[in-house]
Amino acid sequence: MTVKDLVLVGHGMVGQRFLEALFEQPSAEQPCRWRVTVLAEEVRPAYDRVHLTSWFSGTSAEELSLCPPEFVAEHGIDLRLGDPATAIDRAARLVTTRSGAELHYDALVLATGSYPFVPPVPGHDAAGCHVYRTIEDLEAIREQAGSCTVGAVVGGGLLGLEAAGALRAMGLETHVVEFAPRLMALQVDEGGGAVLRRKIEDLGVRVHTGAGTQRIETGEDGRVRSMALSDGSELAVDLVVFSAGVRPRDQLARDCGLTVGERGGIAVDERCRTSDEHIWAIGECALAVDGRVYGLVAPGYAMADTVARGLTGGGGEFTGADTSTKLKLLGVDVASFGDALGATEGAVDVLYANAGAGVYKKLVIGADGRLLGGVLVGDADSYAMLRPLAISGAVLPGPAEQFLVPTAPGQHGPLQLPDEAVVCSCHNVSKATIKAAVTEQGATSLPEVKKCTKAGTGCGSCIKLVGSIVDEELAAAGVEVSRGLCEHFALTRAELYEVVRVKGITTFSRLIDEHGTGDGCDTCKPAVASILASLGNGHVLDGEQAALQDTNDHFLANLQRNGSYSVVPRVPGGEITAEGLIVIGEIARDYGLYTKITGGQRIDLFGATVDQLPDIWRRLVEAGFESGHAYGKALRTVKSCVGQTWCRYGVQDSVALAIELELRYRGLRAPHKLKSAVSGCARECAEAQGKDFGVIATAEGWNLYVGGNGGMTPRHGDLLAADLDHETLIRTIDRFLMFYIRTADRLERTAPWLDRLEGGIEHLRAVVLDDSLGICEELDELMSRHVETYEDEWAATLADPERLRRFVSFANAPGTPDPTVRFVPERDQIRPARPDEDGRVLISSAKLEVRSR
């Protein structure tokens, strides 16, 4: 086979996809073999720019990488990092690199991408101004953010809002400046933009729309001091991130005489070939035949596939691509697809809006009933199904309004989609291809389907739909569907619990090495952390466990809406001494905390900053208090009435039992939070039947109810056993809790668990009272181990300097307060400041003082 030279200029996401597609083609059908050289400007191989912002939350550069070393070695690729192309000699077919090397090519593929557009305003290049494009850009932003207090992002599009989220997460007061009249003007309409703005401002980010940047002012040190806007306002800022769009990197093409568009972009035909028959262009540097420069990864992948097929003897054309988007911006779900702005003649809009819930949905319907597009803000669960319908031009399988109301989308499963519907736009994978992976290629799980089709391996927004199609196809074929915890574990949570318990596994890394695949995800890591904690695997902030915890568990406190934390000491049974009340009052006064007596009979303290937590805990621990575990999936409280000790109707001492139960089960980690109550008589003042386990006194003993639940779906508990003596009651609760922990799914409360349990309450009764499964001895031993090894997490953290190191607002500036945590006075206490309120509450002796900023 003839060997020819192929040079790829650029090694971003699209460049890497081109390499993968090139080597996926059957070699027997290829007219030649390509010897590939890659010229990369960056010093690291291709990485995932779509999820670049996750770098700020701990995702490493290695985890973002898309090009494993073995891929380069396996295919003999000459990857030259940090040595970009500087010139192209089309006549001699030579590429010159920055190092001076000259490379001959038979085929040249340009994947040079784009560069950030920085408005040429005075001061745009001052110290403190950044762009948001590479890992190095992010490193520079984080390095400076530690010494800054206010940041501004110029640009309110997709990347701009991600940048704003990053600044806010680093503790900066954050502004977004957008020249258009609304955020994400290219993706959402006026109504969606209004809801998006309101939700983002509720998070503390200040939004300025219809305003352009006029100039950047600097101080005597040459660093950013403020920015002036076209609406006449001025923002005091010390860090600016430009994210005002991108421009195609087409200078190489211009210099060598290739045809480029009037507004930029290397002009290509349907096969992505440029005006030179030996040169192709793909991705953000290319001007497609429809006159567009696509700034999304999915069109770039489609171009890469087109060129790879053409160079290996195949066919295919690129004439346009889906520009649908779905992502979470500052915690807000936003999606748009198809003709989202309703430009099609004769189209009508069907709207659903819930201002209170912050939800806006719009479907654009054609005159013939076809779904043309839509906008989803605040709730994008239906995106996975609606987008393929719109792209395929299908008629909705029901009234449009049924696809907008919150409870309706689940009524329409993936089988309603036509087979030709494109489910994964990143890799152009249809529903038919996914079905074929199951029926023809023998795939029996989501990971296997992803591997053989690449569906779900791009932006990831289609994974849920792909999984549903796989499950339904397997079910239709009579194959038992895997109920694994996630794509990294084929085992359920209950099965993983047994594996960890029986094999004595104490780390996530060992568990995933022996029983899973990959590196884990946000689904399995917290679930495994809960399993390890429930089996008494040491302090939750030690070793690997610290990296597995949910947000609240990272700091052993509940994160509140403005970035502050709440502290909730345990008050067993709601019983507290006058001295205890005084201590809590003094702490609330000294730290300026908001105090509230809860329905669970304890006192919550709100408004602590992360660096204040250890000092607050130390005073509470010294006064005899301990963690109330309000932050964890664990026992919260055991509520009680005053019982026979004080009440004339009481028949048992409910307070004493409530205290005993709370102290016995404190710190018990579970799949979900646990609440309990003890009532001293049938009048039920403690509302025990609405709890995960509740006890009601009788003249002969205690009635035990389980599986109760308040919240969104109230459910009365079922009577598990009646008139129990004290010893039997405790033993039965022990076994119930450990059986629930052992068999429940992740994030499953006792109420749905009991509804799901085969045999229901009768089966549960047989297990914990009659030992029908022969496991009661194990359950008893597990609970005994928990009781014997319990340790207060606050006190244990205070005793360990290494654990205490995490309790700072800024890792690179310990002791620096978080300037974004702001409060205003209300009813003689404090509350989080809204975006339109400029006050900050400081503590001065025992009073609240408001200072304007």
Side-chain angles (χ1 to χ4, degrees), residues 280-336:
W280 290 257
I282 56 178
E284 293 177 317
C285 67
L287 176 67
V289 291
D290 61 356
R292 298 183 62 177
V293 174
Y294 288 91
L296 298 172
V297 69
Y301 281 1
M303 291 180 181
D305 290 346
T306 298
V307 175
R309 287 193 299 270
L311 291 174
T312 52
E317 296 181 346
F318 178 87
T319 56
D322 176 24
T323 57
S324 301
T325 55
K326 175 183 179 293
L327 62 164
K328 189 179 289 287
L329 300 167
L330 290 98
V332 182
D333 285 321
V334 181
S336 70

Side-chain angles (χ1 to χ4, degrees), residues 422-435:
V422 175
V423 174
C424 174
S425 59
C426 289
H427 293 285
N428 196 34
V429 183
S430 67
K431 179 183 175 183
T433 302
I434 295 170
K435 291 170 62 177

Side-chain angles (χ1 to χ4, degrees), residues 151-408:
V153 177
V154 178
L158 299 174
L159 197 58
L161 294 181
E162 286 206 0
L167 296 188
R168 176 179 174 273
M170 288 187 288
L172 274 66
E173 179 183 321
T174 304
H175 297 260
V176 173
V177 178
E178 169 56 50
F179 182 74
R182 63 179 181 273
L183 297 173
M184 291 183 64
L186 297 179
Q187 288 83 24
V188 302
D189 60 0
E190 184 177 352
V195 172
L196 177 60
R197 174 173 184 159
R198 185 161 57 249
K199 289 181 75 71
I200 287 177
E201 288 185 330
D202 284 345
L203 296 171
V205 176
R206 301 188 180 191
V207 177
H208 310 265
T209 53
T213 304
Q214 295 289 87
R215 64 184 181 279
I216 307 293
E217 302 283 358
T218 59
E220 294 181 358
D221 59 358
R223 302 187 67 83
V224 173
R225 182 184 64 188
S226 66
M227 60 189 300
L229 305 184
S230 59
D231 61 4
S233 62
E234 185 169 312
L235 304 178
V237 299
D238 41 21
L239 187 151
V240 176
V241 176
F242 288 104
S243 184
V246 294
R247 299 291 186 269
R249 299 189 66 179
D250 55 14
Q251 194 60 47
L252 268 177
R254 291 176 184 272
D255 291 344
C256 71
L258 291 176
T259 302
V260 297
E262 184 178 347
R263 301 183 63 183
I266 307 167
V268 297
D269 61 15
E270 293 87 349
R271 295 179 179 272
C272 296
R273 194 191 302 257
T274 69
S275 52
D276 185 316
E277 63 176 346
H278 299 289
I279 304 177
W280 290 257
I282 56 178
E284 293 177 317
C285 67
L287 176 67
V289 291
D290 61 356
R292 298 183 62 177
V293 174
Y294 288 91
L296 298 172
V297 69
Y301 281 1
M303 291 180 181
D305 290 346
T306 298
V307 175
R309 287 193 299 270
L311 291 174
T312 52
E317 296 181 346
F318 178 87
T319 56
D322 176 24
T323 57
S324 301
T325 55
K326 175 183 179 293
L327 62 164
K328 189 179 289 287
L329 300 167
L330 290 98
V332 182
D333 285 321
V334 181
S336 70
F337 54 93
D339 181 13
L341 303 183
T344 304
E345 186 176 353
V348 297
D349 297 343
V350 181
L351 301 174
Y352 167 84
N354 185 335
V359 173
Y360 175 88
K361 300 181 183 183
K362 180 185 79 172
L363 296 184
V364 181
I365 310 297
D368 55 359
R370 292 182 301 116
L371 176 62
L372 301 178
V375 174
L376 306 170
V377 178
D379 177 9
D381 285 349
S382 54
Y383 169 84
M385 187 189 68
L386 292 172
R387 182 194 60 79
L389 287 173
I391 301 307
S392 65
V395 175
L396 279 174
E401 58 271 19
Q402 292 185 7
F403 292 83
L404 296 177
V405 293
T407 57

Side-chain angles (χ1 to χ4, degrees), residues 122-142:
H124 70 274
D125 54 353
C129 291
H130 302 267
V131 293
Y132 197 89
R133 188 67 174 167
T134 68
I135 290 179
E136 283 69 29
D137 293 334
L138 271 56
E139 289 175 340
I141 291 171
R142 186 168 69 176

Side-chain angles (χ1 to χ4, degrees), residues 639-654:
K639 185 178 178 180
S640 78
C641 62
V642 295
Q644 72 174 174
T645 307
W646 292 91
C647 179
R648 65 183 186 273
Y649 299 108
V651 295
Q652 299 283 358
D653 188 350
S654 56

